[in-house]
Structure formats: C-alpha cells, structure tokens
Amino acid sequence: MGNGKLVICDHPLIQHKLTFIRDERTTTKDFRELVDEVATLMAYEITRDIPLVTVTVKTPVAETESRVISGRMLGLVPILRAGLGMLDGVLKCLPAAKVGHIGLFRDPDTLQPVEYYTKLPTDVTERELIVIDPMLATGGSAIAAIDVLKKRGCTQIKMMNLIAAPEGVKAVHDAHPDVDIYVAAMDERLDEHGYIIPGLGDAGDRLYGTK
Ligand code: PRP
Ligand code: URA
C-alpha cells in the first residue's frame, strides 16, 4: 500500500562512513563525527529536487544568468534524542532552515513511542519538513512524529534515517503514504527486541556514551 518513495543514498562516501558507524569498536567521539558527516552527505541527496530559479549576476568580467534556490522554506525536525546527532550535519547544507524538536522514546517492553516534548517553529505549516532520526526500526517513533506534524497542519514531510528495517519502512508508508523516506542503508530485519539487524546498536547510547 502507499506510494511513498524509498531512496537509498548509496554514494560511496556514505557507505564507507556507515561501515565505521556500524563497527562496535568505533568510539563515541568518532561515532558522533561520522554520523554528522553522513548527515551532511545525505542532505545533498534529500535536497536534490529543490527547485531553482534563474537570476542575473555580474561577475567581474560579464553579466550572466545563473541559478539559486527559489526561496524555499525548509524545516528540520530531529526526533530526540538520537536525531540530534544528525541535525548539525544537515544544517551545514541548509543553514537557513528552522528547527523543530519532537521528543519521543520507545518503551523497551511495548516498543510503543512515548511522546515527551514538542516545540515547532510558529510557521511550521508553511515549511517543507525533513524529520531526522538515525534509526527506523518498527517505525512507531517515525509514525508518531509525523502524526504530531500532520495534526499541526503540516503537509510536506520527508523522512531521513541512517538505517531502516523493512518492517519500519512498510509501517511508515502504510500510515503515511505521502512521505518519502531517505536512508543510507536498508537492513535485513528486526530482532525480538525491535533492534535492527545488523544495524548499529542503540543510536542514542552510541552517540552520547550512555547505556
Ligand atoms: C531510537 C531511535 C528512534 C527509535 C526507532 O530512539 O532513535 O527514535 O528508537 O525505533 P522505532 O522505529 O521502533 O520506533 P530511542 O527510543 O532509543 O530514544 P533515544 O533517541 O532517546 O535514545
Ligand atoms: N533504536 C535504536 O537505537 N537502534 C535500533 O536498532 C532500533 C531502535
């Protein structure tokens, strides 16, 4: 069901860095830096369809027509807390974007998302939004975050994840067929605890050194 797009960002630089992100030997510091770098690289892919307009520009030697982004209003919505690990990397490409935060954690027993915080830009409904979270596992957190945004009246939403499980992609596309999903990798499956296999473990814990 649904016609949402799944885009796998398979650029060699992204895949190379993702290998080290997965590696259990990678330190918290390196993990954070790599996630930041991959987020920047993925931002190139996710903004590929931003429309351009032609303007006139004077170089030191001639006047010419050249293109700029057409004043698009963008918004980034990291899902706390792990989504914060990708935020600065995306902002490097989209420095004028406004940022909303949605706080959700997944109950370890029920695997259901629990919402604890939402703060969005006042003009959020006018913006094209990118929801950011490293992991798309059961899809519960992503669906809940998109629900929050749609209840506020947002209509243009994309999802950006480092790693997704097929179950999560299907769940998001079933619940929100209008949302395109951009991932660096689509993994095999979920384990009995809802962890992505092979995945990278717990993204929040690896970003912040918690357990
Ligand atoms: C992780 C991850 C997603 C969620 C994915 O967050 O960052 O938000 O799990 O799982 P789902 O697709 O099954 O909902 P977590 O709940 O561990 O919270 P944290 O970011 O605060 O560590
Ligand atoms: N959340 C994570 O951080 N990792 C997973 O594999 C699944 C959910």
Side-chain angles (χ1 to χ4, degrees), residues 6-19 21-22 34-35 38-39 41-42 45 86 133-134 136 159-164 181-187 200:
L6 172 69
V7 178
I8 298 179
C9 304
D10 59 359
H11 192 286
L13 291 177
I14 294 177
Q15 297 306 313
H16 175 83
K17 290 177 192 295
L18 184 61
T19 300
I21 288 173
R22 289 186 191 276
L34 287 160
V35 168
V38 169
L41 295 170
M42 287 185 74
E45 198 61 53
M86 298 175 75
D133 193 327
L136 179 59
M159 186 83 218
M160 177 179 186
N161 308 103
L162 283 187
I163 301 180
I181 302 174
Y182 292 73
V183 302
M186 175 78 138
D187 275 8
L200 53 72

PDB file of all heavy atoms in Angstrom, residues 6-19 21-22 34-35 38-39 41-42 45 86 133-134 136 159-164 181-187 200:
ATOM      1  N   LEU A   6      11.077   5.215  -1.451  1.00  0.00           N
ATOM      2  CA  LEU A   6      12.217   4.866  -0.593  1.00  0.00           C
ATOM      3  C   LEU A   6      13.475   5.127  -1.411  1.00  0.00           C
ATOM      4  O   LEU A   6      13.662   4.537  -2.484  1.00  0.00           O
ATOM      5  CB  LEU A   6      12.173   3.394  -0.174  1.00  0.00           C
ATOM      6  CG  LEU A   6      13.435   2.937   0.564  1.00  0.00           C
ATOM      7  CD1 LEU A   6      13.527   3.588   1.942  1.00  0.00           C
ATOM      8  CD2 LEU A   6      13.468   1.415   0.705  1.00  0.00           C
ATOM      9  N   VAL A   7      14.324   6.027  -0.913  1.00  0.00           N
ATOM     10  CA  VAL A   7      15.560   6.351  -1.626  1.00  0.00           C
ATOM     11  C   VAL A   7      16.733   5.864  -0.784  1.00  0.00           C
ATOM     12  O   VAL A   7      16.862   6.251   0.384  1.00  0.00           O
ATOM     13  CB  VAL A   7      15.684   7.872  -1.863  1.00  0.00           C
ATOM     14  CG1 VAL A   7      16.998   8.204  -2.571  1.00  0.00           C
ATOM     15  CG2 VAL A   7      14.499   8.387  -2.661  1.00  0.00           C
ATOM     16  N   ILE A   8      17.559   5.005  -1.366  1.00  0.00           N
ATOM     17  CA  ILE A   8      18.749   4.552  -0.656  1.00  0.00           C
ATOM     18  C   ILE A   8      19.933   5.381  -1.150  1.00  0.00           C
ATOM     19  O   ILE A   8      20.254   5.368  -2.341  1.00  0.00           O
ATOM     20  CB  ILE A   8      18.966   3.041  -0.861  1.00  0.00           C
ATOM     21  CG1 ILE A   8      17.757   2.307  -0.269  1.00  0.00           C
ATOM     22  CG2 ILE A   8      20.272   2.582  -0.196  1.00  0.00           C
ATOM     23  CD1 ILE A   8      17.756   0.824  -0.379  1.00  0.00           C
ATOM     24  N   CYS A   9      20.530   6.128  -0.240  1.00  0.00           N
ATOM     25  CA  CYS A   9      21.622   7.039  -0.599  1.00  0.00           C
ATOM     26  C   CYS A   9      22.910   6.211  -0.621  1.00  0.00           C
ATOM     27  O   CYS A   9      23.579   6.068   0.414  1.00  0.00           O
ATOM     28  CB  CYS A   9      21.720   8.180   0.406  1.00  0.00           C
ATOM     29  SG  CYS A   9      20.188   9.089   0.593  1.00  0.00           S
ATOM     30  N   ASP A  10      23.230   5.660  -1.786  1.00  0.00           N
ATOM     31  CA  ASP A  10      24.307   4.667  -1.833  1.00  0.00           C
ATOM     32  C   ASP A  10      25.627   5.251  -2.338  1.00  0.00           C
ATOM     33  O   ASP A  10      26.472   4.534  -2.869  1.00  0.00           O
ATOM     34  CB  ASP A  10      23.882   3.449  -2.666  1.00  0.00           C
ATOM     35  CG  ASP A  10      23.537   3.849  -4.084  1.00  0.00           C
ATOM     36  OD1 ASP A  10      23.605   5.055  -4.390  1.00  0.00           O
ATOM     37  OD2 ASP A  10      23.194   2.963  -4.880  1.00  0.00           O
ATOM     38  N   HIS A  11      25.800   6.554  -2.157  1.00  0.00           N
ATOM     39  CA  HIS A  11      27.074   7.175  -2.545  1.00  0.00           C
ATOM     40  C   HIS A  11      28.218   6.483  -1.789  1.00  0.00           C
ATOM     41  O   HIS A  11      28.092   6.200  -0.588  1.00  0.00           O
ATOM     42  CB  HIS A  11      27.038   8.662  -2.201  1.00  0.00           C
ATOM     43  CG  HIS A  11      28.172   9.427  -2.809  1.00  0.00           C
ATOM     44  ND1 HIS A  11      29.456   9.347  -2.326  1.00  0.00           N
ATOM     45  CD2 HIS A  11      28.220  10.260  -3.863  1.00  0.00           C
ATOM     46  CE1 HIS A  11      30.242  10.116  -3.054  1.00  0.00           C
ATOM     47  NE2 HIS A  11      29.507  10.683  -4.001  1.00  0.00           N
ATOM     48  N   PRO A  12      29.332   6.218  -2.468  1.00  0.00           N
ATOM     49  CA  PRO A  12      30.444   5.515  -1.805  1.00  0.00           C
ATOM     50  C   PRO A  12      30.918   6.171  -0.508  1.00  0.00           C
ATOM     51  O   PRO A  12      31.275   5.473   0.447  1.00  0.00           O
ATOM     52  CB  PRO A  12      31.561   5.533  -2.866  1.00  0.00           C
ATOM     53  CG  PRO A  12      30.854   5.664  -4.165  1.00  0.00           C
ATOM     54  CD  PRO A  12      29.596   6.445  -3.898  1.00  0.00           C
ATOM     55  N   LEU A  13      30.921   7.498  -0.443  1.00  0.00           N
ATOM     56  CA  LEU A  13      31.375   8.156   0.790  1.00  0.00           C
ATOM     57  C   LEU A  13      30.434   7.839   1.949  1.00  0.00           C
ATOM     58  O   LEU A  13      30.862   7.639   3.089  1.00  0.00           O
ATOM     59  CB  LEU A  13      31.433   9.679   0.588  1.00  0.00           C
ATOM     60  CG  LEU A  13      32.516  10.201  -0.346  1.00  0.00           C
ATOM     61  CD1 LEU A  13      32.386  11.709  -0.502  1.00  0.00           C
ATOM     62  CD2 LEU A  13      33.898   9.849   0.187  1.00  0.00           C
ATOM     63  N   ILE A  14      29.142   7.806   1.657  1.00  0.00           N
ATOM     64  CA  ILE A  14      28.154   7.496   2.699  1.00  0.00           C
ATOM     65  C   ILE A  14      28.330   6.046   3.153  1.00  0.00           C
ATOM     66  O   ILE A  14      28.366   5.746   4.350  1.00  0.00           O
ATOM     67  CB  ILE A  14      26.722   7.739   2.161  1.00  0.00           C
ATOM     68  CG1 ILE A  14      26.503   9.225   1.882  1.00  0.00           C
ATOM     69  CG2 ILE A  14      25.672   7.199   3.141  1.00  0.00           C
ATOM     70  CD1 ILE A  14      25.156   9.578   1.272  1.00  0.00           C
ATOM     71  N   GLN A  15      28.471   5.139   2.188  1.00  0.00           N
ATOM     72  CA  GLN A  15      28.589   3.719   2.542  1.00  0.00           C
ATOM     73  C   GLN A  15      29.874   3.448   3.324  1.00  0.00           C
ATOM     74  O   GLN A  15      29.889   2.658   4.266  1.00  0.00           O
ATOM     75  CB  GLN A  15      28.525   2.856   1.274  1.00  0.00           C
ATOM     76  CG  GLN A  15      27.194   2.975   0.547  1.00  0.00           C
ATOM     77  CD  GLN A  15      26.002   2.686   1.457  1.00  0.00           C
ATOM     78  OE1 GLN A  15      26.006   1.704   2.193  1.00  0.00           O
ATOM     79  NE2 GLN A  15      24.991   3.541   1.423  1.00  0.00           N
ATOM     80  N   HIS A  16      30.953   4.123   2.948  1.00  0.00           N
ATOM     81  CA  HIS A  16      32.230   3.963   3.639  1.00  0.00           C
ATOM     82  C   HIS A  16      32.096   4.383   5.105  1.00  0.00           C
ATOM     83  O   HIS A  16      32.470   3.650   6.030  1.00  0.00           O
ATOM     84  CB  HIS A  16      33.289   4.815   2.925  1.00  0.00           C
ATOM     85  CG  HIS A  16      34.623   4.836   3.595  1.00  0.00           C
ATOM     86  ND1 HIS A  16      35.572   3.849   3.410  1.00  0.00           N
ATOM     87  CD2 HIS A  16      35.166   5.713   4.468  1.00  0.00           C
ATOM     88  CE1 HIS A  16      36.638   4.128   4.141  1.00  0.00           C
ATOM     89  NE2 HIS A  16      36.427   5.250   4.781  1.00  0.00           N
ATOM     90  N   LYS A  17      31.542   5.560   5.301  1.00  0.00           N
ATOM     91  CA  LYS A  17      31.421   6.072   6.677  1.00  0.00           C
ATOM     92  C   LYS A  17      30.440   5.235   7.485  1.00  0.00           C
ATOM     93  O   LYS A  17      30.632   5.024   8.694  1.00  0.00           O
ATOM     94  CB  LYS A  17      30.995   7.544   6.655  1.00  0.00           C
ATOM     95  CG  LYS A  17      32.085   8.477   6.133  1.00  0.00           C
ATOM     96  CD  LYS A  17      31.608   9.905   6.051  1.00  0.00           C
ATOM     97  CE  LYS A  17      32.568  10.778   5.260  1.00  0.00           C
ATOM     98  NZ  LYS A  17      33.892  10.933   5.875  1.00  0.00           N
ATOM     99  N   LEU A  18      29.401   4.746   6.828  1.00  0.00           N
ATOM    100  CA  LEU A  18      28.403   3.937   7.536  1.00  0.00           C
ATOM    101  C   LEU A  18      29.021   2.653   8.100  1.00  0.00           C
ATOM    102  O   LEU A  18      28.643   2.185   9.176  1.00  0.00           O
ATOM    103  CB  LEU A  18      27.237   3.601   6.591  1.00  0.00           C
ATOM    104  CG  LEU A  18      26.067   2.851   7.211  1.00  0.00           C
ATOM    105  CD1 LEU A  18      25.423   3.664   8.339  1.00  0.00           C
ATOM    106  CD2 LEU A  18      25.028   2.505   6.147  1.00  0.00           C
ATOM    107  N   THR A  19      29.997   2.114   7.393  1.00  0.00           N
ATOM    108  CA  THR A  19      30.674   0.902   7.883  1.00  0.00           C
ATOM    109  C   THR A  19      31.322   1.162   9.233  1.00  0.00           C
ATOM    110  O   THR A  19      31.231   0.340  10.160  1.00  0.00           O
ATOM    111  CB  THR A  19      31.733   0.449   6.855  1.00  0.00           C
ATOM    112  OG1 THR A  19      31.063   0.187   5.629  1.00  0.00           O
ATOM    113  CG2 THR A  19      32.476  -0.798   7.331  1.00  0.00           C
ATOM    114  N   ILE A  21      30.484   3.577  11.297  1.00  0.00           N
ATOM    115  CA  ILE A  21      29.404   3.858  12.255  1.00  0.00           C
ATOM    116  C   ILE A  21      28.872   2.542  12.836  1.00  0.00           C
ATOM    117  O   ILE A  21      28.589   2.429  14.015  1.00  0.00           O
ATOM    118  CB  ILE A  21      28.274   4.660  11.559  1.00  0.00           C
ATOM    119  CG1 ILE A  21      28.739   6.085  11.284  1.00  0.00           C
ATOM    120  CG2 ILE A  21      26.998   4.642  12.379  1.00  0.00           C
ATOM    121  CD1 ILE A  21      27.773   6.916  10.445  1.00  0.00           C
ATOM    122  N   ARG A  22      28.760   1.534  11.989  1.00  0.00           N
ATOM    123  CA  ARG A  22      28.256   0.236  12.456  1.00  0.00           C
ATOM    124  C   ARG A  22      29.239  -0.448  13.406  1.00  0.00           C
ATOM    125  O   ARG A  22      28.831  -1.134  14.343  1.00  0.00           O
ATOM    126  CB  ARG A  22      28.049  -0.697  11.260  1.00  0.00           C
ATOM    127  CG  ARG A  22      26.896  -0.358  10.344  1.00  0.00           C
ATOM    128  CD  ARG A  22      26.783  -1.487   9.342  1.00  0.00           C
ATOM    129  NE  ARG A  22      25.900  -1.251   8.223  1.00  0.00           N
ATOM    130  CZ  ARG A  22      24.580  -1.445   8.243  1.00  0.00           C
ATOM    131  NH1 ARG A  22      23.993  -1.838   9.351  1.00  0.00           N
ATOM    132  NH2 ARG A  22      23.860  -1.259   7.149  1.00  0.00           N
ATOM    133  N   LEU A  34      31.207  10.823  12.655  1.00  0.00           N
ATOM    134  CA  LEU A  34      30.804  10.126  11.425  1.00  0.00           C
ATOM    135  C   LEU A  34      29.324  10.322  11.129  1.00  0.00           C
ATOM    136  O   LEU A  34      28.932  10.511   9.973  1.00  0.00           O
ATOM    137  CB  LEU A  34      31.130   8.630  11.554  1.00  0.00           C
ATOM    138  CG  LEU A  34      32.612   8.282  11.464  1.00  0.00           C
ATOM    139  CD1 LEU A  34      32.891   6.912  12.081  1.00  0.00           C
ATOM    140  CD2 LEU A  34      33.066   8.309   9.998  1.00  0.00           C
ATOM    141  N   VAL A  35      28.494  10.275  12.170  1.00  0.00           N
ATOM    142  CA  VAL A  35      27.052  10.487  11.965  1.00  0.00           C
ATOM    143  C   VAL A  35      26.818  11.897  11.413  1.00  0.00           C
ATOM    144  O   VAL A  35      26.021  12.102  10.491  1.00  0.00           O
ATOM    145  CB  VAL A  35      26.275  10.257  13.278  1.00  0.00           C
ATOM    146  CG1 VAL A  35      24.833  10.743  13.170  1.00  0.00           C
ATOM    147  CG2 VAL A  35      26.303   8.777  13.651  1.00  0.00           C
ATOM    148  N   VAL A  38      27.896  11.913   7.694  1.00  0.00           N
ATOM    149  CA  VAL A  38      26.948  11.214   6.802  1.00  0.00           C
ATOM    150  C   VAL A  38      25.666  12.033   6.656  1.00  0.00           C
ATOM    151  O   VAL A  38      25.076  12.091   5.571  1.00  0.00           O
ATOM    152  CB  VAL A  38      26.650   9.794   7.327  1.00  0.00           C
ATOM    153  CG1 VAL A  38      25.484   9.176   6.583  1.00  0.00           C
ATOM    154  CG2 VAL A  38      27.878   8.909   7.177  1.00  0.00           C
ATOM    155  N   ALA A  39      25.252  12.697   7.729  1.00  0.00           N
ATOM    156  CA  ALA A  39      24.045  13.531   7.643  1.00  0.00           C
ATOM    157  C   ALA A  39      24.239  14.638   6.606  1.00  0.00           C
ATOM    158  O   ALA A  39      23.328  14.942   5.825  1.00  0.00           O
ATOM    159  CB  ALA A  39      23.712  14.113   9.011  1.00  0.00           C
ATOM    160  N   LEU A  41      26.227  14.529   3.986  1.00  0.00           N
ATOM    161  CA  LEU A  41      26.220  13.910   2.657  1.00  0.00           C
ATOM    162  C   LEU A  41      24.797  13.520   2.238  1.00  0.00           C
ATOM    163  O   LEU A  41      24.408  13.675   1.078  1.00  0.00           O
ATOM    164  CB  LEU A  41      27.133  12.683   2.639  1.00  0.00           C
ATOM    165  CG  LEU A  41      28.621  12.979   2.860  1.00  0.00           C
ATOM    166  CD1 LEU A  41      29.394  11.685   3.081  1.00  0.00           C
ATOM    167  CD2 LEU A  41      29.188  13.742   1.664  1.00  0.00           C
ATOM    168  N   MET A  42      24.010  13.025   3.198  1.00  0.00           N
ATOM    169  CA  MET A  42      22.633  12.651   2.859  1.00  0.00           C
ATOM    170  C   MET A  42      21.785  13.876   2.531  1.00  0.00           C
ATOM    171  O   MET A  42      20.831  13.793   1.755  1.00  0.00           O
ATOM    172  CB  MET A  42      21.991  11.876   4.017  1.00  0.00           C
ATOM    173  CG  MET A  42      22.537  10.464   4.159  1.00  0.00           C
ATOM    174  SD  MET A  42      21.660   9.546   5.438  1.00  0.00           S
ATOM    175  CE  MET A  42      20.091   9.219   4.599  1.00  0.00           C
ATOM    176  N   GLU A  45      21.474  14.509  -1.088  1.00  0.00           N
ATOM    177  CA  GLU A  45      20.530  13.650  -1.802  1.00  0.00           C
ATOM    178  C   GLU A  45      19.096  14.110  -1.572  1.00  0.00           C
ATOM    179  O   GLU A  45      18.285  14.165  -2.495  1.00  0.00           O
ATOM    180  CB  GLU A  45      20.722  12.210  -1.311  1.00  0.00           C
ATOM    181  CG  GLU A  45      20.154  11.154  -2.217  1.00  0.00           C
ATOM    182  CD  GLU A  45      20.775  11.165  -3.593  1.00  0.00           C
ATOM    183  OE1 GLU A  45      22.019  11.106  -3.702  1.00  0.00           O
ATOM    184  OE2 GLU A  45      20.012  11.252  -4.567  1.00  0.00           O
ATOM    185  N   MET A  86      22.236  14.014  14.013  1.00  0.00           N
ATOM    186  CA  MET A  86      22.310  14.288  12.575  1.00  0.00           C
ATOM    187  C   MET A  86      21.981  15.744  12.250  1.00  0.00           C
ATOM    188  O   MET A  86      22.167  16.183  11.111  1.00  0.00           O
ATOM    189  CB  MET A  86      21.340  13.371  11.814  1.00  0.00           C
ATOM    190  CG  MET A  86      21.655  11.895  11.951  1.00  0.00           C
ATOM    191  SD  MET A  86      20.394  10.861  11.166  1.00  0.00           S
ATOM    192  CE  MET A  86      20.781  11.079   9.424  1.00  0.00           C
ATOM    193  N   ASP A 133      16.064  11.090  12.060  1.00  0.00           N
ATOM    194  CA  ASP A 133      16.306  10.113  13.128  1.00  0.00           C
ATOM    195  C   ASP A 133      17.247   9.051  12.556  1.00  0.00           C
ATOM    196  O   ASP A 133      16.994   8.558  11.456  1.00  0.00           O
ATOM    197  CB  ASP A 133      14.974   9.469  13.555  1.00  0.00           C
ATOM    198  CG  ASP A 133      15.085   8.694  14.859  1.00  0.00           C
ATOM    199  OD1 ASP A 133      16.154   8.119  15.132  1.00  0.00           O
ATOM    200  OD2 ASP A 133      14.099   8.652  15.593  1.00  0.00           O
ATOM    201  N   PRO A 134      18.321   8.687  13.247  1.00  0.00           N
ATOM    202  CA  PRO A 134      19.225   7.685  12.660  1.00  0.00           C
ATOM    203  C   PRO A 134      18.546   6.341  12.391  1.00  0.00           C
ATOM    204  O   PRO A 134      18.897   5.678  11.433  1.00  0.00           O
ATOM    205  CB  PRO A 134      20.324   7.508  13.715  1.00  0.00           C
ATOM    206  CG  PRO A 134      20.204   8.642  14.642  1.00  0.00           C
ATOM    207  CD  PRO A 134      18.806   9.184  14.541  1.00  0.00           C
ATOM    208  N   LEU A 136      15.196   3.753  11.858  1.00  0.00           N
ATOM    209  CA  LEU A 136      13.788   3.491  11.560  1.00  0.00           C
ATOM    210  C   LEU A 136      13.606   1.992  11.771  1.00  0.00           C
ATOM    211  O   LEU A 136      13.955   1.194  10.901  1.00  0.00           O
ATOM    212  CB  LEU A 136      13.475   3.892  10.123  1.00  0.00           C
ATOM    213  CG  LEU A 136      12.048   3.678   9.624  1.00  0.00           C
ATOM    214  CD1 LEU A 136      11.045   4.441  10.461  1.00  0.00           C
ATOM    215  CD2 LEU A 136      11.932   4.119   8.172  1.00  0.00           C
ATOM    216  N   MET A 159      11.287  11.952   5.335  1.00  0.00           N
ATOM    217  CA  MET A 159      11.907  11.273   6.475  1.00  0.00           C
ATOM    218  C   MET A 159      13.348  10.950   6.102  1.00  0.00           C
ATOM    219  O   MET A 159      13.615  10.512   4.979  1.00  0.00           O
ATOM    220  CB  MET A 159      11.095   9.995   6.704  1.00  0.00           C
ATOM    221  CG  MET A 159      11.454   9.194   7.904  1.00  0.00           C
ATOM    222  SD  MET A 159      10.665   9.837   9.366  1.00  0.00           S
ATOM    223  CE  MET A 159      11.994   9.582  10.532  1.00  0.00           C
ATOM    224  N   MET A 160      14.267  11.128   7.042  1.00  0.00           N
ATOM    225  CA  MET A 160      15.687  10.866   6.778  1.00  0.00           C
ATOM    226  C   MET A 160      16.246   9.986   7.897  1.00  0.00           C
ATOM    227  O   MET A 160      16.189  10.375   9.067  1.00  0.00           O
ATOM    228  CB  MET A 160      16.410  12.208   6.766  1.00  0.00           C
ATOM    229  CG  MET A 160      17.877  12.156   6.583  1.00  0.00           C
ATOM    230  SD  MET A 160      18.412  13.880   6.583  1.00  0.00           S
ATOM    231  CE  MET A 160      20.102  13.683   6.184  1.00  0.00           C
ATOM    232  N   ASN A 161      16.740   8.815   7.525  1.00  0.00           N
ATOM    233  CA  ASN A 161      17.293   7.873   8.519  1.00  0.00           C
ATOM    234  C   ASN A 161      18.625   7.344   8.030  1.00  0.00           C
ATOM    235  O   ASN A 161      18.819   7.179   6.822  1.00  0.00           O
ATOM    236  CB  ASN A 161      16.374   6.668   8.712  1.00  0.00           C
ATOM    237  CG  ASN A 161      14.953   7.056   9.018  1.00  0.00           C
ATOM    238  OD1 ASN A 161      14.089   6.997   8.155  1.00  0.00           O
ATOM    239  ND2 ASN A 161      14.705   7.463  10.231  1.00  0.00           N
ATOM    240  N   LEU A 162      19.500   7.002   8.958  1.00  0.00           N
ATOM    241  CA  LEU A 162      20.724   6.304   8.549  1.00  0.00           C
ATOM    242  C   LEU A 162      20.389   4.881   8.136  1.00  0.00           C
ATOM    243  O   LEU A 162      20.752   4.431   7.060  1.00  0.00           O
ATOM    244  CB  LEU A 162      21.713   6.233   9.721  1.00  0.00           C
ATOM    245  CG  LEU A 162      22.509   7.454  10.095  1.00  0.00           C
ATOM    246  CD1 LEU A 162      23.530   7.070  11.154  1.00  0.00           C
ATOM    247  CD2 LEU A 162      23.190   8.029   8.868  1.00  0.00           C
ATOM    248  N   ILE A 163      19.716   4.163   9.023  1.00  0.00           N
ATOM    249  CA  ILE A 163      19.453   2.744   8.788  1.00  0.00           C
ATOM    250  C   ILE A 163      17.976   2.459   9.026  1.00  0.00           C
ATOM    251  O   ILE A 163      17.405   2.905  10.032  1.00  0.00           O
ATOM    252  CB  ILE A 163      20.306   1.853   9.724  1.00  0.00           C
ATOM    253  CG1 ILE A 163      21.798   2.122   9.498  1.00  0.00           C
ATOM    254  CG2 ILE A 163      19.993   0.377   9.498  1.00  0.00           C
ATOM    255  CD1 ILE A 163      22.726   1.293  10.379  1.00  0.00           C
ATOM    256  N   ALA A 164      17.391   1.700   8.105  1.00  0.00           N
ATOM    257  CA  ALA A 164      15.983   1.329   8.260  1.00  0.00           C
ATOM    258  C   ALA A 164      15.843  -0.185   8.204  1.00  0.00           C
ATOM    259  O   ALA A 164      16.645  -0.878   7.583  1.00  0.00           O
ATOM    260  CB  ALA A 164      15.146   1.959   7.150  1.00  0.00           C
ATOM    261  N   ILE A 181      10.988   8.429   2.058  1.00  0.00           N
ATOM    262  CA  ILE A 181      11.969   8.058   3.085  1.00  0.00           C
ATOM    263  C   ILE A 181      13.353   7.957   2.432  1.00  0.00           C
ATOM    264  O   ILE A 181      13.512   7.249   1.428  1.00  0.00           O
ATOM    265  CB  ILE A 181      11.599   6.708   3.726  1.00  0.00           C
ATOM    266  CG1 ILE A 181      10.187   6.774   4.342  1.00  0.00           C
ATOM    267  CG2 ILE A 181      12.621   6.315   4.790  1.00  0.00           C
ATOM    268  CD1 ILE A 181       9.681   5.429   4.861  1.00  0.00           C
ATOM    269  N   TYR A 182      14.324   8.643   3.007  1.00  0.00           N
ATOM    270  CA  TYR A 182      15.712   8.608   2.529  1.00  0.00           C
ATOM    271  C   TYR A 182      16.556   7.888   3.566  1.00  0.00           C
ATOM    272  O   TYR A 182      16.565   8.296   4.750  1.00  0.00           O
ATOM    273  CB  TYR A 182      16.232  10.031   2.313  1.00  0.00           C
ATOM    274  CG  TYR A 182      15.565  10.739   1.166  1.00  0.00           C
ATOM    275  CD1 TYR A 182      14.256  11.201   1.275  1.00  0.00           C
ATOM    276  CD2 TYR A 182      16.232  10.926  -0.035  1.00  0.00           C
ATOM    277  CE1 TYR A 182      13.635  11.835   0.211  1.00  0.00           C
ATOM    278  CE2 TYR A 182      15.618  11.561  -1.106  1.00  0.00           C
ATOM    279  CZ  TYR A 182      14.322  12.011  -0.980  1.00  0.00           C
ATOM    280  OH  TYR A 182      13.711  12.634  -2.034  1.00  0.00           O
ATOM    281  N   VAL A 183      17.255   6.853   3.159  1.00  0.00           N
ATOM    282  CA  VAL A 183      18.086   6.097   4.097  1.00  0.00           C
ATOM    283  C   VAL A 183      19.472   5.890   3.496  1.00  0.00           C
ATOM    284  O   VAL A 183      19.646   5.911   2.275  1.00  0.00           O
ATOM    285  CB  VAL A 183      17.456   4.714   4.439  1.00  0.00           C
ATOM    286  CG1 VAL A 183      16.072   4.877   5.036  1.00  0.00           C
ATOM    287  CG2 VAL A 183      17.415   3.786   3.234  1.00  0.00           C
ATOM    288  N   ALA A 184      20.451   5.646   4.381  1.00  0.00           N
ATOM    289  CA  ALA A 184      21.782   5.269   3.885  1.00  0.00           C
ATOM    290  C   ALA A 184      21.831   3.760   3.658  1.00  0.00           C
ATOM    291  O   ALA A 184      22.589   3.290   2.817  1.00  0.00           O
ATOM    292  CB  ALA A 184      22.860   5.698   4.874  1.00  0.00           C
ATOM    293  N   ALA A 185      21.047   3.014   4.420  1.00  0.00           N
ATOM    294  CA  ALA A 185      21.028   1.558   4.232  1.00  0.00           C
ATOM    295  C   ALA A 185      19.697   0.978   4.681  1.00  0.00           C
ATOM    296  O   ALA A 185      19.093   1.454   5.646  1.00  0.00           O
ATOM    297  CB  ALA A 185      22.152   0.906   5.041  1.00  0.00           C
ATOM    298  N   MET A 186      19.290  -0.035   3.948  1.00  0.00           N
ATOM    299  CA  MET A 186      18.110  -0.818   4.320  1.00  0.00           C
ATOM    300  C   MET A 186      18.639  -2.155   4.812  1.00  0.00           C
ATOM    301  O   MET A 186      19.263  -2.901   4.054  1.00  0.00           O
ATOM    302  CB  MET A 186      17.254  -1.005   3.081  1.00  0.00           C
ATOM    303  CG  MET A 186      16.085  -1.890   3.297  1.00  0.00           C
ATOM    304  SD  MET A 186      14.803  -0.997   4.143  1.00  0.00           S
ATOM    305  CE  MET A 186      13.437  -1.606   3.215  1.00  0.00           C
ATOM    306  N   ASP A 187      18.434  -2.451   6.102  1.00  0.00           N
ATOM    307  CA  ASP A 187      18.998  -3.665   6.677  1.00  0.00           C
ATOM    308  C   ASP A 187      18.031  -4.843   6.542  1.00  0.00           C
ATOM    309  O   ASP A 187      16.991  -4.729   5.903  1.00  0.00           O
ATOM    310  CB  ASP A 187      19.392  -3.402   8.125  1.00  0.00           C
ATOM    311  CG  ASP A 187      20.789  -2.784   8.210  1.00  0.00           C
ATOM    312  OD1 ASP A 187      21.354  -2.445   7.157  1.00  0.00           O
ATOM    313  OD2 ASP A 187      21.325  -2.650   9.322  1.00  0.00           O
ATOM    314  N   LEU A 200      23.303  -0.881  14.071  1.00  0.00           N
ATOM    315  CA  LEU A 200      24.475  -0.277  14.716  1.00  0.00           C
ATOM    316  C   LEU A 200      24.335  -0.292  16.226  1.00  0.00           C
ATOM    317  O   LEU A 200      25.095   0.348  16.945  1.00  0.00           O
ATOM    318  CB  LEU A 200      24.690   1.173  14.204  1.00  0.00           C
ATOM    319  CG  LEU A 200      23.512   2.166  14.271  1.00  0.00           C
ATOM    320  CD1 LEU A 200      23.185   2.624  15.661  1.00  0.00           C
ATOM    321  CD2 LEU A 200      23.840   3.365  13.384  1.00  0.00           C
TER     322      LEU A 200
END
